[in-house]
Amino acid sequence: MNIEHIGQPFLKKFPGDFSNNPLQRNTPKVLFATVKPAEFYKPHLIAFNEALSEEIGLGKFEEKDLNFLVGSQLPNNMQTYATAYAGHQFGNWAGQLGDGRAILAGEITNANGKKTEVQWKGAGATPYSRRADGRAVLRSSVREYLISEAMYHLGVPTTRALSLAFTGEDVIRDIMYNGNPQYEKGAVIIRTAESFLRFGHFELMFAQGEHKLLQDLLDFTIENYFPEIVSSGHQKYKDFFENVCTRTADLMVEWFRVGFVHGVMNTDNMSILGLTIDYGPYSMMDEYNLNFTPNTTDLPGRRYAFGKQGQIAHWNLWKLANALQPIINDENFLENTLKDFGIYFWEAHDKMLCKKFGFDGLKKEDAEFFTNWQGLMQELQLDHTLFFNQLEKITPDTDLNEHFSPVAYTVFNEEKINKLEDFIEQYRSRLHSNSISKQESLKLMETTNPKFILRNYLLYECIEEISSGKTEMLVKLTQALEHPYQELFPEFSKKRPSSYNNTAGCSTLSCSS
Ligand code: AMP
Ligand code: MG
């Protein structure tokens, strides 16, 4: 791999702390602290993403690169670092946080000039680890490695994953937070993104009153990642905020399209580029449920439930607006832009639903149809993904009970069958008013509705297998997730088996990772 071509331009641009001291502390007035990854003596490679490595300019993997993949061997001049950010967690200001177990190797440029940041996750403590160890366990690393690529191939903006390796070191975790800590295998992933900057980076500069640094960071972000912004002066920052709002709204719509629940939408987990970032207790949704949250920490309030993700994004943007106000200096503008977010989001959301149903475009009466659909999905406990796959296949002769009951998580009684029949009748009559052909409509559905999603129970089985030394399922899942709009493996396109309905680490997930 071309690891010696990774550079650290961020370090030259901004003030940092170069003491290389991973002890817990605050670092005011700086955007990063240099820190070396830990040394792991017996790393073992589990997966490597060759296509991504080539694409970003890192080239082919050779045996000698293994130690780099866990951060234990660095090219001579590589100065690795962790960035400082802050955040609102579960609705409360959490103060300074930072990359607690992410360490940046720097940035690589490919032959087309495209720049990509490269970072380890789980490679050891940083100045921002607080009391934690900076390590990551196998289960959370497998989950992040696979979902990053699954989201990418679904077409959802996301950070990506380059490699997954055991560190050879055990890590202690209390998974259920019930006083039963256990040793688990430690792992490191390398993840990549155009930039890992978060809302929280801007919030930290604001909270510390570092307005000059805040403006510098904004200038840097706009110049490097928002080429579409060509204005100057105050207008530039206004365009930036509008742009972040649009990207964030678009991302939420994509999450609704594929049925993704992030689970921890704190502002430190919100990418300024509108990428899905920091995969923890996330879940793809099986049965459609607006109230579904996979995160056990979120269960009391369900703040981060599936159906609330648009509202929460809006709340998070409001916190970002607050942080940018000293530079933008126009409260009316910020308030109006935040109001527009709601309008833009719902319109984009409904247009997305039109595609899932194969409609030509958004009609006024569709809003009521969509509300009826949500009611039907929740009452009949229909599988979000499989419902649309089945909808694509209905003909005038289809027995609807036989066709849809296998993709529901409850048994249909007469009342439910009547509801289903009523709904499909509404659907057929809406299709009649379509101005596009049947084929075009079907094509729209097939390219919008995935046939394969990375369900939690599949991940659970894959992690069990890897823990016992086997990687067949990992390889198969990797193939399946590269072609989510096809059905490569019919056994992966089934609803969740009932045996997994109440399995910890499958139906519910803790933040322990
Ligand atoms: P998360 O909710 O997973 O995004 O993490 C919130 C904060 O805790 C971030 O600043 C993380 O870097 C930090 N963090 C989480 N787990 C660890 C760990 N094992 N070691 C150090 N820092 C951690
Ligand atoms: Mg995080």
Side-chain angles (χ1 to χ4, degrees):
M1 290 166 72
N2 306 320
I3 46 188
E4 65 289 351
H5 292 161
I6 300 175
Q8 290 81 33
F10 194 79
L11 272 55
K12 294 186 191 91
K13 278 257 155 57
F14 294 105
D17 174 331
F18 287 88
S19 61
N20 251 317
N21 178 1
L23 295 179
Q24 177 207 340
R25 70 222 150 104
N26 284 338
T27 54
K29 301 190 195 311
V30 303
L31 264 161
F32 65 87
T34 54
V35 61
K36 294 272 174 249
E39 283 199 33
F40 299 110
Y41 299 100
K42 281 192 210 149
H44 171 74
L45 186 64
I46 308 169
F48 185 79
N49 189 341
E50 264 178 47
L52 178 63
S53 191
E54 294 283 0
E55 186 187 317
I56 63 177
L58 276 177
K60 290 221 168 348
F61 170 78
E62 294 167 67
E63 267 320 297
K64 66 173 170 57
D65 300 320
L66 176 59
N67 285 321
F68 173 78
L69 297 186
V70 291
S72 296
Q73 199 176 338
L74 308 177
N76 277 341
N77 297 320
M78 183 177 277
Q79 197 143 43
T80 54
Y81 59 106
T83 67
Y85 53 78
H88 281 84
Q89 300 189 318
F90 292 92
N92 303 306
W93 174 240
Q96 184 188 310
L97 305 161
D99 295 321
R101 53 173 168 173
I103 298 178
L104 279 141
E107 190 180 86
I108 179 93
T109 308
N110 74 3
N112 302 324
K114 189 177 160 246
K115 296 182 171 120
T116 305
E117 282 189 336
V118 178
Q119 86 173 193
W120 297 276
K121 183 166 176 181
T126 78
Y128 310 114
S129 297
R130 293 172 285 170
R131 262 158 246 95
D133 58 7
R135 268 61 171 176
V137 294
L138 173 73
R139 58 188 157 78
S140 67
S141 306
V142 172
R143 284 172 53 82
E144 177 151 7
Y145 181 83
L146 288 176
I147 194 70
S148 307
E149 290 308 290
M151 293 288 263
Y152 171 75
H153 291 285
L154 280 165
V156 183
T158 179
T159 60
R160 297 194 63 187
L162 181 75
S163 61
L164 165 66
F166 281 129
T167 58
E169 184 192 270
D170 283 347
V171 173
I172 195 154
R173 289 288 183 274
D174 186 0
I175 303 191
M176 304 309 291
Y177 302 120
N178 61 1
N180 278 315
Q182 309 241 323
Y183 281 104
E184 296 187 53
K185 282 197 164 81
V188 171
I189 62 167
I190 289 189
R191 54 182 193 179
T192 71
E194 192 180 3
S195 166
F196 286 98
L197 285 170
R198 301 142 192 269
F199 288 14
H201 283 103
F202 300 86
E203 287 181 278
L204 179 65
M205 296 298 107
F206 168 67
Q208 291 177 174
E210 298 279 352
H211 295 177
K212 167 77 172 62
L213 255 187
L214 176 61
Q215 187 160 0
D216 289 349
L217 185 63
L218 275 166
D219 288 338
F220 172 85
T221 308
I222 296 166
E223 191 187 321
N224 284 281
Y225 312 118
F226 290 78
E228 58 272 49
I229 297 177
V230 291
S231 48
S232 56
H234 268 85
Q235 192 55 41
K236 176 167 90 167
Y237 306 115
K238 288 182 177 176
D239 289 350
F240 169 75
F241 184 66
E242 276 179 352
N243 223 299
V244 176
C245 286
T246 310
R247 288 193 194 200
T248 306
D250 290 342
L251 181 67
M252 294 306 113
V253 170
E254 282 294 273
W255 289 0
F256 280 105
R257 175 174 68 86
V258 300
F260 174 81
V261 198
H262 185 283
V264 206
M265 283 179 70
N266 294 331
T267 56
D268 51 296
N269 290 337
M270 295 292 290
S271 149
I272 202 75
L273 304 189
L275 309 173
T276 317
I277 191 171
D278 278 15
Y279 294 99
Y282 70 85
S283 180
M284 298 304 291
M285 189 170 56
D286 297 321
E287 60 267 55
Y288 184 88
N289 179 359
L290 292 168
N291 248 329
F292 172 57
T293 182
N295 180 359
T296 49
T297 311
D298 190 36
L299 279 176
R302 296 184 183 270
R303 179 180 174 84
Y304 297 141
F306 176 68
K308 291 215 195 109
Q309 296 183 117
Q311 276 159 264
I312 290 294
H314 186 245
W315 192 91
N316 289 342
L317 283 162
W318 179 53
K319 293 295 161 195
L320 179 67
N322 237 7
L324 302 187
Q325 162 59 12
I327 311 295
I328 292 180
N329 206 7
D330 187 341
E331 275 178 36
N332 275 341
F333 163 81
L334 289 170
E335 267 174 33
N336 288 332
T337 309
L338 285 167
K339 248 189 227 145
D340 291 345
F341 171 90
I343 301 164
Y344 176 86
F345 166 74
W346 282 114
E347 195 179 326
H349 175 271
D350 286 358
K351 282 185 175 159
M352 173 278 291
L353 277 185
C354 280
K355 288 191 190 149
K356 285 183 85 70
F357 281 101
F359 297 162
D360 49 353
L362 186 58
K363 293 199 162 87
K364 227 176 161 187
E365 61 272 25
D366 290 339
E368 195 189 329
F369 174 81
F370 294 148
T371 309
N372 294 344
W373 168 70
Q374 289 182 328
L376 179 88
M377 293 297 285
Q378 300 210 114
E379 208 179 318
L380 273 61
Q381 294 180 35
L382 285 153
D383 187 278
H384 181 240
T385 304
L386 298 174
F387 170 78
F388 284 102
N389 297 158
Q390 289 298 83
L391 195 65
E392 288 162 15
K393 290 186 235 157
I394 56 169
T395 67
D397 310 321
T398 303
D399 178 325
L400 297 177
N401 180 23
E402 255 177 41
H403 192 67
F404 285 102
S405 57
V407 301
Y409 294 84
T410 187
V411 178
F412 290 175
N413 56 19
E414 212 175 299
E415 196 193 327
K416 289 193 165 88
I417 297 170
N418 288 340
K419 283 226 159 97
L420 177 65
E421 285 173 347
D422 277 357
F423 177 78
I424 297 295
E425 204 172 295
Q426 287 172 45
Y427 178 56
R428 285 180 170 135
S429 94
R430 173 62 180 81
L431 279 185
H432 276 304
S433 69
N434 249 358
S435 59
I436 52 174
S437 71
K438 257 191 178 159
Q439 286 90 326
E440 283 173 300
S441 164
L442 189 61
K443 179 101 193 277
L444 210 51
M445 293 176 87
E446 286 175 344
T447 51
T448 310
N449 299 313
K451 292 203 170 52
F452 170 82
I453 55 159
L454 193 60
R455 294 176 193 269
N456 261 340
Y457 88 87
L458 293 172
L459 279 162
Y460 182 85
E461 288 181 350
C462 179
I463 293 162
E464 296 272 290
E465 267 207 25
I466 297 175
S467 306
S468 62
K470 288 186 275 178
T471 53
E472 281 89 347
M473 188 156 178
L474 176 75
V475 172
K476 233 166 125 176
L477 281 179
T478 306
Q479 288 169 354
L481 61 82
E482 284 172 2
H483 306 281
Y485 300 95
Q486 296 168 23
E487 196 184 272
L488 286 194
F489 304 103
E491 69 270 34
F492 289 162
S493 295
K494 292 203 176 109
K495 70 176 181 188
R496 180 191 65 240
S498 58
S499 54
Y500 285 110
N501 284 358
N502 295 306
T503 310
C506 187
S507 56
T508 52
L509 294 145
S510 86
C511 281
S512 151
S513 57

